[in-house]
Amino acid sequence: MNGQNYRCGWVALMGPPNAGKSTLLNGLMGQKVTIVTPKPQTTRNQIVGILTDDDAQAIFMDTPGLSQVRGRLSKTMIQAVWQSLGQADVIMPVLDAHLYIRHPEYLDRDLAPVAEALASDERPMVVVANKVDLFADKSRLLTRLNEMWPRAEIFPVSALNKDGLTELAKLIKKQLPKGIAQFPEDQISTAPVRFMAAEIVREKLFLHLRQEVPYGIAVEVENWDEDPEREQTIIHAVIYVARPMHKGMVIGRGGSVLKQVGMEARQDIRELIGGKVHLELWVKVRENWTEDTAFLRELGMGAESL
């Protein structure tokens, strides 16, 4: 490692919501570093995954999906995207190729503004056409993408099936600048373990709740203690909801939803930290928290959070 030909750099994943950026990052990493749900706009922060091997270290930033939604939370998320781009050595737009095969008219709507903004950028760019397992004829779409991104490498993959990910990782490493590794070889993320545990709880809530409720939810780990006698980690986490009516929905009838979320989250956190976990969850109402700049910063959603 860190020889004369060693490469190291930052790679910014960006693109429309629900393009599969988080699934792609987890697939490239070979393990889970960011949450994945069927709902768009799951990722709120710059989640960094660090992929290290003998000849390169790629530092991935998974950014929130670029969208037109409004409000302070949305603005904070978009700010995170452009901040990631500023420090990136390689830019990696990720798009849902299956969507654009079915609705080619969406290509200009979703991607033309980004393509135009990056047209004069001279940094290496790899455009990942994801979900190609869902359709047969790829040539028409790839031709259109080449027209839109003439300088970029267009790379079709299926992140869900892990098709093409090994080859994509090799391509990305070739695009990185020469330099020594910036992180220890056994470090997989810059996110604190407490933050990753909170994200796991939030993922389970996304999977169990419907419609607008998940977007008004935040999770914060208030206490994290080690119990050496019982050889377990004790975690107290608060689930904040933006409206009083959502509290009962998160708890569920007889506590059923909260109990299921806690059970599933505990299992994932146990795998994350490699030990026993005692997880307690509370639900609190914090009205309009998505418009509270100070609270967003406390949750690590400010532009300076990385």
Side-chain angles (χ1 to χ4, degrees):
M1 279 184 60
N2 288 338
Q4 206 169 14
N5 294 317
Y6 199 81
R7 294 180 179 273
C8 178
W10 294 74
V11 182
L13 284 78
M14 61 174 295
N18 230 19
K21 295 185 298 298
S22 296
T23 302
L24 178 66
L25 177 56
N26 289 338
L28 287 166
M29 292 293 302
Q31 57 189 300
K32 189 173 192 171
V33 294
T34 181
I35 67 176
V36 178
T37 81
K39 297 180 173 67
Q41 292 290 17
T42 303
T43 301
R44 289 174 178 167
N45 306 64
Q46 295 167 308
I47 308 297
V48 177
I50 306 162
L51 180 62
T52 306
D53 59 25
D54 291 338
D55 56 357
Q57 183 176 82
I59 308 158
F60 294 96
M61 296 171 285
D62 179 22
T63 63
L66 289 168
S67 71
Q68 303 301 317
V69 293
R70 296 173 182 160
R72 193 173 299 278
L73 174 60
S74 173
K75 290 176 183 175
T76 302
M77 292 163 72
I78 299 305
Q79 190 177 20
V81 175
W82 293 108
Q83 184 190 22
S84 294
L85 286 180
Q87 67 188 101
D89 298 296
V90 178
I91 300 171
M92 195 161 87
V94 181
L95 54 95
D96 179 348
H98 186 230
L99 172 66
Y100 300 126
I101 279 287
R102 289 177 291 133
H103 299 284
E105 69 276 13
Y106 292 174
L107 259 176
D108 284 336
R109 180 198 70 181
D110 293 346
L111 298 176
V114 181
E116 288 168 14
L118 297 172
S120 60
D121 200 303
E122 296 182 355
R123 288 173 292 180
M125 191 179 304
V126 179
V127 177
V128 178
N130 192 20
K131 307 184 186 181
V132 296
D133 55 303
L134 299 177
F135 61 93
D137 181 16
K138 303 173 180 57
S139 58
R140 194 157 39 97
L141 177 65
L142 297 181
T143 299
R144 181 69 185 93
L145 291 176
N146 274 307
E147 293 170 357
M148 185 173 281
W149 311 85
R151 243 183 5 88
E153 296 266 7
I154 311 297
F155 204 94
V157 304
S158 168
L160 189 63
N161 295 338
K162 297 183 170 56
D163 291 341
L165 298 194
T166 301
E167 295 78 9
L168 176 60
K170 289 178 183 176
L171 174 61
I172 292 165
K173 287 190 291 184
K174 289 179 182 176
Q175 308 281 0
L176 298 174
K178 289 185 178 179
I180 63 172
Q182 297 182 28
F183 295 94
E185 59 181 303
D186 59 348
Q187 185 172 344
I188 63 165
S189 179
T190 60
V193 176
R194 287 171 68 124
F195 170 79
M196 295 177 78
E199 284 289 274
I200 287 171
V201 174
R202 194 165 67 91
E203 175 188 56
K204 305 311 174 189
L205 289 163
F206 262 76
L207 294 172
H208 283 281
L209 298 171
R210 301 188 306 277
Q211 298 169 348
E212 83 282 0
V213 179
Y215 304 104
I217 283 176
V219 180
E220 182 179 28
V221 172
E222 284 197 329
N223 290 298
W224 183 293
D225 295 310
E226 302 297 335
D227 184 343
E229 287 187 13
R230 298 185 180 181
E231 297 182 339
Q232 68 177 359
T233 301
I234 301 171
I235 302 169
H236 293 176
V238 178
I239 300 165
Y240 291 102
V241 294
R243 299 179 186 175
M245 64 179 291
H246 290 163
K247 184 174 181 178
M249 298 169 74
V250 170
I251 293 171
R253 183 174 295 177
S256 58
V257 174
L258 197 62
K259 182 178 180 182
Q260 187 67 26
V261 165
M263 184 176 68
E264 293 176 10
R266 189 181 305 112
Q267 184 174 336
D268 280 14
I269 296 169
R270 188 168 61 232
E271 292 177 9
L272 173 69
I273 67 175
K276 295 179 184 176
V277 172
H278 175 78
L279 175 65
E280 292 197 18
L281 301 175
W282 284 270
V283 184
K284 294 182 181 179
V285 178
R286 184 166 181 139
E287 294 193 46
N288 300 317
W289 69 263
T290 59
E291 302 300 315
D292 186 338
T293 304
F295 184 60
L296 290 173
R297 194 174 293 118
E298 284 177 29
L299 294 172
M301 295 184 198
E304 72 277 21
S305 62
L306 197 64

